[in-house]
Amino acid sequence: MKSIYKTLCVIWLGFWAAAATVLLGIPVTVAGIFSRTGNLAFTLSKLWAYIMLAASFVCTETKNIDKIHKGTSYIIISNHQSHYDIIALVTTLGIQYRWIIKKEILKLPIFGYALYASRNIFIDRSNTASAIESINKGFERLPKGVSVMVFAEGTRSPDGQIHEFKKGGFVMAVQRKIPILPVTVNGSRRVMRKGNFSLRPGKIQIVIGDSIDTSGYTIDTIQNLIDRTRETIVANFDPEYTGKN
């Protein structure tokens, strides 16, 4: 029965993902081409995420949204539990931001170009020098006041725990003196965990931490910044979160 349910989930989600992509791909791409900022394309792309949440019978809740100051650029650092982290974050934070994405996503029909048109940053993870150059060029394309989202663990957690953070996002924050916004995602692994496409409808919680001023940090003290950010995210982490009172 589990294998049948998993197959049905893949078919159901695949249908809605394809339908949403066809429906929104052209408007997002056109918005990206004719917009100097990519902001309209990003806003339209949220509709794709809302469709997938509805199709999955998943809802979200946000805590401490008042800690986000609109118009301020952040390096947003989040834990990563599930594919649904992306959908939940896009629909809850209420600010313009862009992703750092592996370049292979560019090959996806319609969707890949729509992401590029929205001015997301694409990198080659296999080549450090190329990745750094791509990030620098990507920042030059970003409009004023737009933030950048980074999953500091680098990949989805295989066991539900928060693992060590990689330096990439923190180096960007220190070099450019951009404040860090720590964000914790709870409940997404329960909806869909890594390596398993079985869907479990439920609720995902996004918890916003206090932003961290990076002006006092250097490359030599970056580990202190990483530790401070991770401690904030872990403090707001609830691995047993179910969305029930």
Side-chain angles (χ1 to χ4, degrees):
M1 289 296 294
K2 287 184 177 180
S3 61
I4 294 175
Y5 178 69
K6 182 177 180 179
T7 300
L8 290 174
C9 285
V10 170
I11 294 172
W12 176 257
L13 294 176
F15 167 79
W16 282 106
T21 299
V22 171
L23 177 66
L24 296 169
I26 293 176
V28 169
T29 301
V30 171
I33 292 172
F34 289 100
S35 171
R36 293 181 178 180
T37 63
N39 287 349
L40 178 58
F42 177 82
T43 300
L44 289 174
S45 70
K46 291 182 182 181
L47 296 175
W48 189 95
Y50 280 118
I51 290 172
M52 294 309 298
L53 284 176
S56 305
F57 305 100
V58 172
C59 58
T60 61
E61 68 170 356
T62 311
K63 293 183 66 176
N64 307 329
I65 193 68
D66 57 304
K67 293 185 177 181
I68 298 178
H69 300 287
K70 292 186 178 182
T72 298
S73 295
Y74 298 101
I75 300 294
I76 306 169
I77 302 290
S78 173
N79 62 314
H80 198 12
Q81 301 279 305
S82 166
H83 284 309
Y84 276 80
D85 299 341
I86 298 171
I87 299 173
L89 289 164
V90 163
T91 55
T92 56
L93 294 185
I95 57 174
Q96 288 279 336
Y97 66 85
R98 305 294 184 263
W99 299 90
I100 293 181
I101 308 172
K102 58 184 179 181
K103 68 174 186 178
E104 288 78 9
I105 300 297
L106 278 170
K107 298 178 182 179
L108 294 177
I110 303 177
F111 189 63
Y113 187 78
L115 287 172
Y116 180 80
S118 302
R119 303 197 179 211
N120 290 285
I121 301 171
F122 294 86
I123 63 171
D124 180 359
R125 290 183 177 179
S126 65
N127 187 319
T128 301
S130 175
I132 293 174
E133 182 180 358
S134 296
I135 289 172
N136 288 329
K137 288 182 178 179
F139 265 94
E140 292 172 1
R141 295 178 69 230
L142 290 180
K144 184 178 180 181
V146 170
S147 299
V148 174
M149 171 70 70
V150 178
F151 288 128
E153 294 165 278
T155 187
R156 287 165 291 155
S157 171
D159 56 10
Q161 300 302 308
I162 298 179
H163 294 267
E164 291 185 7
F165 285 179
K166 299 182 183 300
K167 292 183 178 180
F170 299 94
V171 171
M172 289 187 293
V174 169
Q175 288 180 338
R176 297 174 181 272
K177 303 303 178 185
I178 302 174
I180 283 177
L181 185 70
V183 174
T184 305
V185 182
N186 293 318
S188 59
R189 187 173 187 269
R190 184 174 179 274
V191 171
M192 181 180 287
R193 64 184 57 190
K194 183 177 182 178
N196 190 335
F197 285 95
S198 293
L199 174 67
R200 189 175 182 179
K203 182 180 283 188
I204 298 174
Q205 181 188 66
I206 305 297
V207 185
I208 315 300
D210 291 317
S211 62
I212 301 173
D213 182 6
T214 61
S215 61
Y217 292 91
T218 66
I219 296 300
D220 292 333
T221 60
I222 202 168
Q223 188 59 49
N224 296 333
L225 178 60
I226 294 173
D227 293 341
R228 180 179 173 185
T229 305
R230 188 175 183 279
E231 286 171 6
T232 299
I233 292 174
V234 170
N236 291 324
F237 183 54
D238 180 7
E240 304 302 322
Y241 176 83
T242 63
K244 299 178 181 179
N245 295 326

